[in-house]
C-alpha cells in the first residue's frame, strides 16, 4: 500500500520547513532508514528517514520549497501503485497548500491491525534508562498475558517485564545489552501480520485524526482505552491524582484516564492501585542464576565467559573508583557490648507487644552511628567530597547507607534522615529496605544519596576487615562479630562481650585524629547505649 | 408614611404662591474699631495671631512643594497639598465661637480649618484638660516630641502640639494625629472637635449630617459643621444631605426634645472655583450658593452670604447661627465668600484665571487688612504685631524641623512590623452599648409587650414536622424573624442604636423584617429616610464617627451604586485612616432581589468584598441570620449584611432544635457545613444554598455521589480553613453564587483554593454563577440564575464525568470562549 511521507513538525512554534536536498528521486528503491530528504527550519537542520520500504513513487515538493509542517512531501509504495491514493482522504494538493489546514495530512505509517507497544518502564524518578539483560521471547512467538518478555536492569536493581496483552511478538526494537531510554517502546505485540513500524522509537506517532465537527469531548469507552499504555510525559493528570500515584507508586504508564478531556483523575489512579499496577510489582519473581558446577580435582581448561551483569559492572566501577581516587585507610576499635547485648535481649524477650522484638544489634549500632555523626565535630564523616575533591558537602541530617547482600550482588539502600528516627522506626525502615532489595523491588530512588554507610558482616564471623568507602561519601563503618573478651578487674579475669568496629575513611576529607575521635565517641556512645536511647 | 399626617386633597389642590424670605448678602460691615467693646483685646489679637499661623503653615508647605526647602531647610513632600492661603479669615471666623463639643468635618482643603478650630479649642480648654488630652493621645507619643519646646504657658505647648501633630500627619509620620495614615487631606483630631476631612468632594456633607443626628438622638451638646466647597454643591450626596437635615418629620413627627431640624451647618467655603471650573457663571446655576438654602425647607436653611474676607463678619454670623442650631431651628447654610490665592494644588498653573483677578483679591488680603484695623482701633501697635509675626513664624519653623526629623518623627516601620496597617483594618471589638453611663434606651414598651415578639413566640422554631415535612410558612419561625430578634434585642441594650432607611417605619420594611419595631421605638430611633441612598449610608458613617451605632438599609442591592462612595470610601476606610481612633459600628442591610428584572435582582456581594475594610455577611438560614446579625450589632466594624428576598420566609432546617430564643452570636469568618459528604465539595453563598442541596440530593440518589455542602455565611472574613479541609477530603470543589460569574467572589475563592490546596485538587475548582447578562423577567430567570442541574453539569463536564449523566447546558470550551469573546 502506498504511504505518504509528511513534513514533520519540529517543535510547536515551527510552521514550515525548507527542503534543502533530496537524497532519493522518483523511481528509486527505498529501504527503512534510508534518508529521503534533508530539510531545515530557521534554527536547525534535519534529515527524514524512510519508515517503510518500497519505491519512491512521487515527490510533491522540490529542493528550496518551504513546506508547511504536516503537509505531504512524497509517496513511497510498490512500483505501479497509484501514489495519489495515498494522498487522497483529506490531504490537500500542494498547489492549495497555502490555504490548506495544517493538521489535515495523513500520518506516515498507520499501524495496521491491532498492535500494542511495550515500553521500558521508568523505575523511579531518577532513572533515565535501563539495560535489557535478556529476551525471553523472539519475534513471531505467541505471548500470553503474564509471560515474561524480557529482563532488564538499572545500575542498581534488576526487573522483569511481563506481557499485559496477548498476541504475537511482532517486533523487537532493542536487543540484549541495549541501553533503552525509559518510556521508549521496546517491542510490539499484536495480531500476526499487523505492521508494528509506527511504534518504532523515533517514528512519527500517528497523529489522531480529529474531524473538525466532532463534539469536543466525546470520551471513548473505557474498555477500548484499557490496554493502551500512556506516555507519562504527555499525561494530563490532576495534582491530586499525581500525588496519590507518587505516594503509592502507581504505574502511570498503565493508567486509563476517565476525567474531563482525558485527564487522569484520582479514581483512575486508585483503579491502578486496586489492580496492583504499581512500580516494582513485576520484579517480584526473579529467577536465581543457576550455579555452574565444576568437578574438583579434574584439570579443566573448559571455561566459559559471561558478561558481567550490569549491577556487577557498576559495583566494579565504583569500587575501583573508590580505591583509585581516595586516600583510604582503616582504623579498628572494640567496644564493650554488654549494654547493647542486654538491650537486644530485652527487646527480644519483651518487645513483641510493641513490635520491637526484631530490633537487631545492627539496628542499634546504626541508631548510635546516626546520632554520633550528628555531633558537630564529626561533620566531615557525615559528608560527601564532591567536585573532584574540591568541595565538601556537609549534611544537616544523616542519610545512612546500609550494605545489603542480595542474590544479585551488594546493594546499599539509604535510610533517609536516620538521625531523626526512633530506634523502632529505624529498625522497621532498615528491614523494609533490606526486604525490598532482596526481592528486587527496591526503587532506585532509595539506592542513592547516602552521607555515610554501615556495613555489617559480623554475622559471618568476621572479626576485622577493610570496608571500601562508597564515593562520594567520606566514611564507612564495618561492624564485626561479637565475641567474648577478657579483662582484668581488681585482679580478677572478667569475661565480657566485645565487638570490633572497622572504620574506613577518606584521608583527603579528614585526618586520622578526627577519625579516631569519631570511633572513640562511637565506642563510648555504644557502651552507654541506654543513655543514648534516653536522649533520643 | 405616617397616618398622623392627613394628606388633604383640598389643601394640596388649593392655589396660591410660595413666598421666600430675603436672603441676607454680606450685611455685616463692621471693622475692629466698631467691635472693640464686644471683644477682649486678647481675643482681637488672637484672631490676628491665628490667621498668621494658618498663613505661615500653608506658606511652609507651598515652599517645600515648589522650592524643596523652607527657611533654607530642604525637605521633599511628595504627597498632596491643597492649600488655603486667602481663606484664613473664613476659617478663623468660623472657629471663634466653636468649642470642643462642636464638631467640624471638612474637605481636601482643610489645613486652615483644622488649625483654626484647634486654636479656638485650645483657648477654651483649661490647662488640665489640655494636658490630659495631650498626654493620653497615642500614648503620649506626640506630646513627648514637643513638651520641652520653648513655651510660656500650657496653651503654648498645646499650640506646638497642634502644629506638630498636623505637620507630622501631613508628612506621614507615626507621631502624626493619625499615625501618618490620614495625610494632608485627612488630618483630624477629635479631642479638639476636629473630625475627619474628606478627599471625596462633598463627602463630608452626609457625614456631618449624620453626626448632627447623633447629637440630637443622644442629647449631646454642640453643633456640627460641614466645611465643603462651592464646587461640592454640584454633588448629589450633598443635596441629599441638605434635604435630609431638614426633612419634615424632624419638626412634624419627632417628639418632645427630639423635635427640630438637625444642628448642622453646611458651611460653603466659597472660594469661587472647583479645581478650575468657575462655579458662578460656568458650572453651577445658583449665582450665589446661599440661594440653594431657599429650596430645601420653609426656613430656607437660614441661608445667608457672609464676607469671608472679614473675620468679624464670619464670627458675627456664627454667633447667631450657632444659637439657632442649638434651638433646633437648623439646618443652616452659610455661603462664605473667600478666595484661594494659590492654585488648587502646587502643580496648578492657574490657567483658568487672570493675573489681574488674583492681584485684585490679593489687594484685599484679609491679614494685612485686619492688622491695619487692629492698629487703627488702637488694639495693638505695629511692634506688637511684628512680635506676633515673629513668634508665629518661629513656632512653625521649629515644629517643621521636628516633623521632618526622621529620628524624632519616624514613619510607621512596615518592614519591622509588616502587619501594622493590616492590624488596623478592623477593630474587632465587642461593645454592648455605646451609650453614656446612665443613658436609657428610648422605647415605647417592654420587649414582652411587643406584638411581633408575642406572635413569634407562637411560631415553630424548628423547620420540620415530626414526620419530616416542612412546617407551613405561616407557622414556621422565618429568617426574617431571626433578623428581627437580633435587632430588637440590641435596641433594648444600646441606647445609641438607630435604624433608618426607606419605608422601615409603619410599613415595617419592604420585606417585613421590621414589623413590630414601629410599635417599640420612637421616631428618632426608627424612621423613614428620604430616598437618598448616599445620605442613608453617609449619615450612618457620621453617626458612628460621632460615637453611636447605626443600622441602616438599602432596599435593594441594586441601589448599592447610589451609595457607592459612602460604602466604598467612607464606611470602609475610616477606621484604618484614623489609626483606629474612630470606630465604625455600622451595619448596612442590603436586600438581594429576584423576580424583579434587571435592576432589582442583582447579587453585588462581590463588589463589596473587593473593598478592603468591610465585613461581609450573607446568611441563608434563620439561625445564621440571627446569630450573624447579633454579632454585627455587637461589633465595632462596618458590616454589609446581605439578605436574599428568596428566603426571608424559610424555616430553620439545619440547626438541630431550631433557632434558640436566647441571645447568641455567630462569629464572622466561620463557614458552616450544612451537609457532610466525601465526594465533592459544593460551596455556596446565600440563598443558592437551597439549590445546591437539591443538586446534592440528586447526586446522591441517582449517582451515588455524596456532596459536602458548605455555606460560606460570611465573605469577609472568609473561612478558607473550612473549605480547604473539605477539599483535602473530596479533592473537588464547585462554588455556587447568584452573582454574575465575571469577577465574582466565587471566582476569587476558586483562585485562592487552587493556590492553597493545589496538590489536593482532582480538578480545578469550578464556579457555577449567574450569566454575565441582565437578569431577565422572572419567567425566564431559570436561564440566568444557577440551577441544581447546572451544578451537576459542571461536575460532570469539568470535574468528574458521571456515567450515564447527560449535561443540560453547553459546558464546552468552545461555548465558553465564544461567550468570552463576546464579552458575556
Ligand atoms: C467626588 C470627587 N470628584 C472630583 C474630585 C476631584 N477634585 C478634587 S478637589 C476638586 C474641586 C472641588 O471644588 P470645591 O468643592 O469648590 O473645593 P475647593 O477645592 O475649591 O476647596 C475636584 C473636582 C474629587 N476629589 N472627588
Ligand atoms: Mg471652591
Amino acid at each position: 500500500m502506498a504511504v505518504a511521507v509528511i513534513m514533520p513538525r519540529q517543535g510547536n512554534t515551527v510552521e514550515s520547513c525548507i527542503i534543502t536536498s533530496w537524497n532519493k528521486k522518483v523511481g528509486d528503491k527505498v529501504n527503512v532508514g534510508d534518508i529521503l530528504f534533508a530539510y531545515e527550519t530557521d534554527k536547525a537542520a534535519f534529515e527524514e528517514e524512510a519508515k517503510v520500504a518500497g519505491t519512491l513513487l512521487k515527490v510533491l515538493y522540490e529542493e528550496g520549497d518551504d513546506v508547511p509542517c504536516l503537509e505531504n512531501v512524497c509517496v513511497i509504495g510498490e512500483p505501479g501503485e497509484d501514489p495519489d491514493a495515498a494522498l487522497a482522504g483529506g490531504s490537500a494538493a500542494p498547489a492549495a497548500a497555502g490555504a490548506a489546514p495544517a493538521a489535515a495530512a495523513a500520518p506516515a505509517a498507520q499501524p495496521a491491525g491491532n498492535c500494542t507497544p511495550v515500553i521500558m518502564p521508568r523505575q523511579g524518578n531518577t532513572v533515565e534508562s535501563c539495560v535489557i539483560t535478556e529476551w525471553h521471547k523472539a519475534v513471531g512467538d505467541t505471548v500470553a498475558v503474564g509471560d515474561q518478555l524480557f529482563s532488564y536492569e538499572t545500575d542498581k536493581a534488576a526487573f522483569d517485564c511481563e506481557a499485559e496483552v496477548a498476541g504475537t511478538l511482532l517486533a523487537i526494537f532493542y536487543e540484549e545489552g541495549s541501553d533503552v531510554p525509559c518510556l521508549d517502546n521496546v517491542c510490539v505485540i499484536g495480531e500476526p501480520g499487523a505492521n508494528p513500524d509506527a511504534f518504532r522509537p523515533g517514528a512519527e506517532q500517528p497523529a489522531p485524526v480529529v474531524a473538525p465537527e466532532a463534539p469536543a469531548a466525546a470520551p471513548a469507552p473505557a474498555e477500548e482505552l484499557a490496554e493502551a499504555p500512556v506516555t507519562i510525559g504527555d499525561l494530563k493528570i490532576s495534582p491530586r491524582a499525581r500525588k496519590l500515584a507518587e505516594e503509592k507508586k502507581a504505574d502511570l504508564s498503565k493508567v486509563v484516564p476517565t476525567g474531563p478531556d482525558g485527564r487522569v483523575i484520582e479514581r483512575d489512579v486508585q483503579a491502578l492501585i486496586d489492580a496492583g499496577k504499581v512500580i516494582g510489582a513485576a520484579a517480584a519473581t526473579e529467577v536465581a542464576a543457576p550455579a555452574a558446577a565444576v568437578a574438583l580435582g579434574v584439570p579443566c581448561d573448559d571455561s566459559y565467559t559471561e558478561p558481567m551483569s550490569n549491577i556487577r559492572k557498576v559495583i566494579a566501577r565504583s569500587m575501583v573508583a573508590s580505591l583509585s581516587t581516595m586516600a583510604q585507610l582503616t582504623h579498628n576499635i572494640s567496644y564493650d557490648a554488654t549494654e547493647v547485648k542486654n538491650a537486644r535481649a530485652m527487646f527480644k524477650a519483651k518487645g513483641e507487644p510493641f513490635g520491637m522484638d526484631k530490633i537487631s544489634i545492627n539496628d542499634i549500632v546504626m541508631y548510635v552511628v546516626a546520632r554520633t555523626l550528628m555531633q558537630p565535630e564529626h561533620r566531615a564523616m557525615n559528608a560527601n567530597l564532591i567536585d573532584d575533591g574540591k568541595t565538601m558537602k556537609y549534611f544537616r541530617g544523616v542519610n545512612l547507607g546500609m550494605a545489603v547482600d542480595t542474590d544479585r550482588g551488594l546493594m546499599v539502600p539509604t535510610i533517609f534522615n536516620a538521625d531523626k528516627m526512633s530506634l523502632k522506626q529505624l529498625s522497621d525502615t532498615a528491614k523494609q529496605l533490606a526486604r525490598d532489595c532482596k526481592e528486587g523491588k527496591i526503587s532506585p530512588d532509595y539506592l542513592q544519596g547516602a552521607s555515610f554507610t554501615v556495613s555489617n558482616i559480623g554475622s559471618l564471623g568476621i572479626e576485622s576487615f577493610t570496608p571500601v568507602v562508597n564515593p562520594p561519601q567520606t566514611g564507612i563503618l564495618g561492624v564485626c562479630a561479637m565475641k567474648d573478651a577478657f579483662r582484668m578487674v581488681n585482679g580478677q579475669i572478667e569475661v565480657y562481650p566485645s565487638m570490633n568496629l572497622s572504620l574506613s575513611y577518606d584521608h583527603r576529607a579528614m585526618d586520622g585524629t578526627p577519625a579516631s575521635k569519631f570511633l572513640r565517641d562511637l565506642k563510648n556512645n555504644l557502651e552507654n547505649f541506654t543513655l543514648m536511647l534516653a536522649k533520643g | 408614611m405616617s397616618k398622623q399626617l392627613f394628606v388633604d386633597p383640598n389643601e394640596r389642590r388649593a392655589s396660591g404662591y410660595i413666598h421666600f424670605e430675603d436672603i441676607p448678602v454680606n450685611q455685616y460691615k463692621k471693622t475692629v474699631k466698631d467691635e472693640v467693646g464686644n471683644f477682649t483685646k486678647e481675643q482681637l489679637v488672637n484672631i490676628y495671631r491665628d490667621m498668621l499661623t494658618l498663613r505661615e503653615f500653608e506658606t511652609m508647605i507651598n515652599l517645600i512643594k515648589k522650592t524643596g526647602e523652607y527657611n533654607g531647610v530642604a525637605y521633599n513632600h511628595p504627597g498632596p497639598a491643597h492649600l488655603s492661603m486667602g481663606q484664613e479669615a473664613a476659617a478663623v471666623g468660623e472657629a471663634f465661637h466653636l468649642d470642643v463639643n462642636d464638631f467640624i468635618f471638612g474637605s481636601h482643603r482643610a489645613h486652615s480649618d483644622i488649625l483654626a478650630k484647634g486654636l479656638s479649642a485650645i483657648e477654651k480648654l483649661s490647662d488640665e484638660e489640655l494636658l490630659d488630652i495631650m498626654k493620653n493621645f497615642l500614648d503620649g507619643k506626640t506630646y513627648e516630641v514637643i513638651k520641652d519646646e520653648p513655651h510660656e504657658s500650657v496653651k503654648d505647648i498645646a499650640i506646638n502640639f497642634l502644629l506638630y501633630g498636623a505637620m507630622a500627619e501631613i508628612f506621614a509620620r507615626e507621631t502624626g494625629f493619625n499615625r501618618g495614615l490620614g495625610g494632608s487631606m485627612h488630618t483630624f483630631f477629635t479631642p479638639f472637635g476636629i473630625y475627619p476631612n474628606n478627599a471625596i468632594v462633598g463627602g463630608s456633607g452626609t457625614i456631618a449630617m449624620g453626626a448632627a443626628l447623633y447629637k440630637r438622638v443622644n442629647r449631646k451638646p454642640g453643633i456640627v459643621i460641614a466645611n465643603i466647597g462651592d464646587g461640592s454643591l454640584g454633588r448629589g450626596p450633598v443635596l441629599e444631605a441638605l434635604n435630609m437635615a431638614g426633612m419634615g418629620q424632624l419638626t412634624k413627627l419627632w417628639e418632645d426634645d427630639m423635635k427640630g431640624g438637625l444642628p448642622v451647618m453646611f458651611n460653603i467655603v466659597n472660594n469661587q472655583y472647583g479645581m478650575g471650573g468657575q462655579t458662578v457663571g460656568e458650572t453651577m446655576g445658583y449665582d450665589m450658593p446661599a440661594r440653594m438654602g431657599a429650596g430645601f425647607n420653609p426656613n430656607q436653611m437660614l441661608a445667608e452670604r457672609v464676607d469671608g474676607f472679614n473675620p468679624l463678619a464670619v464670627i458675627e454670623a456664627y454667633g447667631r447661627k450657632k444659637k439657632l442650631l442649638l434651638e433646633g431651628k437648623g439646618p443652616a447654610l452659610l455661603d462664605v465668600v473667600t478666595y484661594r490665592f494659590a492654585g488648587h494644588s502646587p502643580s496648578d498653573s492657574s490657567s483658568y484665571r487672570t493675573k489681574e483677578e488674583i492681584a485684585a483679591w490679593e489687594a484685599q488680603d484679609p491679614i494685612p487688612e485686619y492688622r491695619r484695623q487692629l492698629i487703627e482701633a488702637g488694639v495693638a501697635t505695629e511692634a506688637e504685631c511684628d512680635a506676633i509675626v515673629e513668634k508665629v513664624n518661629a513656632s512653625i519653623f521649629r515644629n517643621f524641623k521636628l516633623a521632618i526629623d526622621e529620628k524624632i518623627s519616624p514613619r510607621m516601620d512596615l518592614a519591622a512590623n509588616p502587619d501594622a496597617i493590616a492590624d488596623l483594618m478592623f477593630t474587632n471589638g465587642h461593645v454592648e452599648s455605646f451609650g453614656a453611663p446612665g443613658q436609657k434606651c428610648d422605647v415605647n414598651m417592654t420587649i414582652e409587650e411587643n406584638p411581633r415578639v408575642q406572635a413569634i413566640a407562637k411560631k415553630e422554631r424548628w423547620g420540620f414536622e415530626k414526620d419530616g415535612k416542612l412546617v407551613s410558612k405561616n407557622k414556621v419561625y422565618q429568617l426574617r424573624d431571626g433578623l428581627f430578634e437580633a435587632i430588637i434585642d440590641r435596641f433594648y441594650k444600646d441606647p445609641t442604636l438607630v435604624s433608618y432607611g426607606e419605608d422601615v417605619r409603619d410599613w415595617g420594611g419592604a420585606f417585613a423584617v421590621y414589623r413590630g419595631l414601629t410599635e417599640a421605638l420612637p421616631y428618632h430611633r426608627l424612621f423613614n429616610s428620604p430616598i437618598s441612598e448616599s445620605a442613608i449610608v453617609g449619615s450612618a458613617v457620621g453617626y458612628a464617627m460621632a460615637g453611636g451605632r447605626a443600622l441602616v438599609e438599602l432596599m435593594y442591592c441594586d441601589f448599592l451604586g447610589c451609595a457607592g462612595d459612602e460604602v466604598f470610601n467612607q464606611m470602609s476606610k475610616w477606621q484604618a485612616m484614623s489609626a483606629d481612633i474612630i470606630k465604625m459600628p455600622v451595619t448596612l442591610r442590603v436586600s438581594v432581589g429576584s423576580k424583579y428584572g434587571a435592576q432589582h435582582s442583582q447579587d453585588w456581594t462581590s463588589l463589596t468584598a473587593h473593598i478592603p475594610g468591610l465585613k461581609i455577611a450573607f446568611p441563608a438560614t434563620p439561625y445564621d441570620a440571627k446569630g450573624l446579625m447579633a454579632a454585627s450589632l455587637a461589633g465595632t466594624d462596618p458590616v454589609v449584611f446581605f439578605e436574599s428576598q428568596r428566603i426571608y420566609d424559610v424555616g430553620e432546617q439545619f440547626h438541630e432544635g431550631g433557632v434558640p430564643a436566647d441571645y447568641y452570636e455567630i462569629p464572622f469568618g466561620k463557614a458552616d457545613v450544612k451537609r457532610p459528604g466525601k465526594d465533592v465539595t459544593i460551596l455556596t453563598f446565600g440563598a443558592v444554598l437551597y439549590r445546591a442541596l437539591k443538586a446534592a440530593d440528586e447526586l446522591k440518589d441517582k449517582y451515588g455521589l455524596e456532596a459536602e455542602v458548605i455555606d460560606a455565611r460570611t465573605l469577609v472574613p472568609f473561612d478558607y480553613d473550612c473549605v480547604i479541609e473539605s477539599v483535602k477530603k473530596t479533592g473537588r470543589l464547585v462554588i455556587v453564587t447568584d452573582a454574575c460569574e465575571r469577577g465574582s467572589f466565587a471566582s476569587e475563592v476558586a483562585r485562592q483554593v487552587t493556590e492553597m490546596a493545589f496538590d489536593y485538587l482532582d480538578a480545578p475548582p469550578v464556579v457555577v454563577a449567574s450569566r454575565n447578562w441582565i437578569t431577565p423577567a422572572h419567567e425566564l430567570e431559570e436561564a440566568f440564575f444557577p440551577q441544581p442541574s447546572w451544578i451537576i453539569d459542571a461536575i460532570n463536564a469539568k470535574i468528574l464525568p458521571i456515567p450515564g449523566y447527560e449535561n443540560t447546558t453547553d459546558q464546552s470550551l468552545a461555548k465558553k470562549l465564544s461567550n468570552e469573546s463576546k464579552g458575556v
Side-chain angles (χ1 to χ4, degrees), chain A residues 216 238-241 243 258-261 263-267, chain B residues 727-729 731 758-763 797-801:
Chain A
S238 81
R240 189 181 182 92
K243 189 161 172 258
T258 70
D261 302 325
R263 188 190 301 134
V264 174
I265 58 178
E266 185 185 21
R267 68 179 171 194
Chain B
V727 166
K728 281 186 183 170
K729 179 168 57 171
F758 188 67
D759 286 332
Y760 294 97
L761 286 168
D762 202 25
K798 297 176 184 168
I799 297 177
L800 182 74

Coordinates of all heavy atoms in Angstrom, one line a residue, chain A residues 216 238-241 243 258-261 263-267, chain B residues 727-729 731 758-763 797-801:
Chain A
A216 N -16.6 18.2 21.1 CA -15.3 18.4 21.7 C -14.9 17.3 22.6 O -13.8 16.8 22.6 CB -15.3 19.7 22.4
S238 N -4.5 15.2 37.2 CA -4.8 16.2 38.3 C -3.7 16.2 39.4 O -3.1 15.1 39.6 CB -6.2 15.9 38.9 OG -6.1 14.9 39.9
P239 N -3.5 17.3 40.0 CA -2.5 17.3 41.1 C -2.7 16.2 42.1 O -1.8 15.6 42.6 CB -2.6 18.7 41.7 CG -3.4 19.5 40.8 CD -4.2 18.6 39.9
R240 N -4.0 16.0 42.5 CA -4.3 15.1 43.5 C -4.0 13.6 43.0 O -3.5 12.8 43.8 CB -5.8 15.2 43.8 CG -6.3 14.3 45.0 CD -7.8 14.5 45.2 NE -8.3 13.8 46.3 CZ -8.4 14.4 47.6 NH1 -8.0 15.6 47.8 NH2 -8.9 13.7 48.5
A241 N -4.3 13.4 41.8 CA -4.1 12.0 41.2 C -2.6 11.8 41.2 O -2.1 10.7 41.5 CB -4.7 11.9 39.8
K243 N -0.3 13.1 43.1 CA 0.2 12.9 44.4 C -0.1 11.5 44.9 O 0.8 10.8 45.4 CB -0.6 13.9 45.3 CG 0.0 14.0 46.7 CD -0.5 15.3 47.4 CE -0.2 15.4 48.8 NZ -1.3 15.1 49.7
T258 N -10.1 8.8 32.9 CA -11.6 9.0 32.8 C -12.1 10.4 33.1 O -13.3 10.6 33.2 CB -12.4 8.0 33.7 OG1 -12.2 8.4 35.0 CG2 -11.9 6.6 33.5
G259 N -11.2 11.3 33.3 CA -11.5 12.6 33.7 C -11.9 13.4 32.5 O -11.9 12.9 31.4
P260 N -12.3 14.7 32.7 CA -12.7 15.5 31.6 C -11.6 15.7 30.6 O -10.4 15.8 31.1 CB -13.0 16.9 32.3 CG -13.3 16.6 33.7 CD -12.5 15.4 34.0
D261 N -11.8 15.7 29.3 CA -10.8 15.8 28.3 C -9.6 14.9 28.5 O -8.5 15.3 28.3 CB -10.3 17.3 28.3 CG -11.5 18.3 28.1 OD1 -12.4 17.9 27.3 OD2 -11.4 19.3 28.6
R263 N -8.3 13.7 31.2 CA -7.4 13.9 32.3 C -7.4 12.7 33.2 O -8.5 12.1 33.4 CB -7.9 15.2 33.1 CG -7.0 15.6 34.2 CD -7.6 16.7 35.1 NE -8.0 17.9 34.3 CZ -9.2 18.5 34.4 NH1 -10.1 18.1 35.2 NH2 -9.5 19.5 33.6
V264 N -6.3 12.4 33.7 CA -6.2 11.3 34.7 C -6.7 11.9 36.1 O -6.1 12.9 36.5 CB -4.8 10.7 34.9 CG1 -4.7 9.7 36.0 CG2 -4.4 10.1 33.6
I265 N -7.7 11.4 36.7 CA -8.1 11.9 38.0 C -7.9 10.8 39.0 O -7.5 9.7 38.8 CB -9.6 12.4 37.9 CG1 -10.5 11.3 37.4 CG2 -9.6 13.6 37.0 CD1 -12.0 11.8 37.4
E266 N -8.2 11.2 40.2 CA -7.9 10.3 41.4 C -8.4 8.9 41.2 O -7.7 7.9 41.5 CB -8.5 11.0 42.6 CG -8.1 10.2 43.9 CD -8.9 10.8 45.1 OE1 -9.9 11.5 44.9 OE2 -8.4 10.6 46.2
R267 N -9.7 8.8 40.7 CA -10.3 7.5 40.7 C -9.5 6.6 39.7 O -9.4 5.4 39.9 CB -11.7 7.5 40.3 CG -12.0 8.0 38.9 CD -13.5 8.0 38.6 NE -13.8 8.6 37.3 CZ -15.1 9.0 37.0 NH1 -16.1 8.8 37.8 NH2 -15.3 9.6 35.8
Chain B
V727 N -11.8 20.2 50.9 CA -11.2 19.8 49.6 C -10.1 18.8 49.8 O -9.9 17.9 48.9 CB -10.6 21.1 48.9 CG1 -9.7 20.7 47.8 CG2 -11.7 22.0 48.4
K728 N -9.4 18.8 50.9 CA -8.5 17.7 51.2 C -9.1 16.4 51.1 O -8.6 15.4 50.7 CB -7.8 18.0 52.5 CG -6.7 19.0 52.5 CD -6.0 19.1 53.9 CE -5.0 20.2 53.8 NZ -4.4 20.4 55.2
K729 N -10.4 16.4 51.6 CA -11.1 15.1 51.7 C -11.7 14.8 50.3 O -11.5 13.7 49.8 CB -12.3 15.3 52.7 CG -13.2 14.1 52.9 CD -14.1 14.3 54.1 CE -14.9 15.6 54.0 NZ -15.9 15.7 55.0
G731 N -11.3 16.5 47.2 CA -10.4 16.8 46.1 C -11.2 17.6 45.0 O -10.6 17.9 43.9
F758 N -3.5 23.1 45.9 CA -3.3 22.6 44.6 C -3.1 21.1 44.6 O -3.8 20.4 43.8 CB -2.1 23.3 44.0 CG -1.9 22.9 42.5 CD1 -2.8 23.4 41.6 CD2 -0.8 22.2 42.1 CE1 -2.6 23.1 40.2 CE2 -0.6 21.9 40.8 CZ -1.5 22.3 39.8
D759 N -2.3 20.6 45.5 CA -2.0 19.2 45.4 C -3.1 18.3 45.9 O -3.0 17.1 45.7 CB -0.7 18.9 46.3 CG 0.5 19.4 45.6 OD1 0.5 19.4 44.4 OD2 1.5 19.7 46.3
Y760 N -4.1 18.9 46.4 CA -5.3 18.1 46.8 C -6.4 18.1 45.8 O -7.4 17.3 46.0 CB -5.8 18.6 48.2 CG -4.9 18.5 49.3 CD1 -4.0 19.5 49.7 CD2 -4.7 17.2 49.9 CE1 -3.1 19.3 50.7 CE2 -3.8 17.1 51.0 CZ -3.0 18.1 51.4 OH -2.1 18.0 52.4
L761 N -6.2 18.8 44.8 CA -7.3 19.0 43.8 C -7.3 17.9 42.7 O -6.2 17.7 42.2 CB -7.2 20.4 43.2 CG -7.7 21.5 44.1 CD1 -7.3 22.9 43.5 CD2 -9.2 21.5 44.3
D762 N -8.4 17.4 42.5 CA -8.5 16.4 41.4 C -9.0 17.0 40.1 O -9.1 16.4 39.1 CB -9.5 15.3 41.9 CG -9.2 14.0 41.1 OD1 -8.1 13.8 40.6 OD2 -10.2 13.2 41.0
A763 N -9.4 18.3 40.2 CA -9.9 19.1 39.1 C -9.8 20.5 39.5 O -9.8 20.8 40.7 CB -11.3 18.7 38.7
A797 N -18.9 17.7 33.6 CA -18.2 18.2 32.5 C -16.7 18.6 32.9 O -15.8 18.4 32.1 CB -18.8 19.4 31.8
K798 N -16.6 19.1 34.1 CA -15.3 19.6 34.4 C -14.5 19.0 35.5 O -13.4 19.3 35.8 CB -15.4 21.1 34.7 CG -16.0 21.9 33.5 CD -16.2 23.4 33.8 CE -16.8 24.1 32.6 NZ -17.4 25.4 33.0
I799 N -15.2 18.1 36.3 CA -14.6 17.6 37.5 C -14.5 16.1 37.4 O -13.5 15.5 37.6 CB -15.3 18.1 38.7 CG1 -15.2 19.6 38.8 CG2 -14.7 17.5 40.0 CD1 -15.9 20.3 39.9
L800 N -15.7 15.5 37.3 CA -15.8 14.0 37.5 C -16.9 13.5 36.6 O -18.1 13.5 37.0 CB -16.2 13.7 39.0 CG -16.2 12.3 39.4 CD1 -14.9 11.7 39.5 CD2 -17.0 12.2 40.7
P801 N -16.5 13.1 35.4 CA -17.6 12.6 34.5 C -18.4 11.5 35.2 O -17.9 10.6 35.8 CB -16.8 12.0 33.3 CG -15.5 12.8 33.3 CD -15.2 13.1 34.8

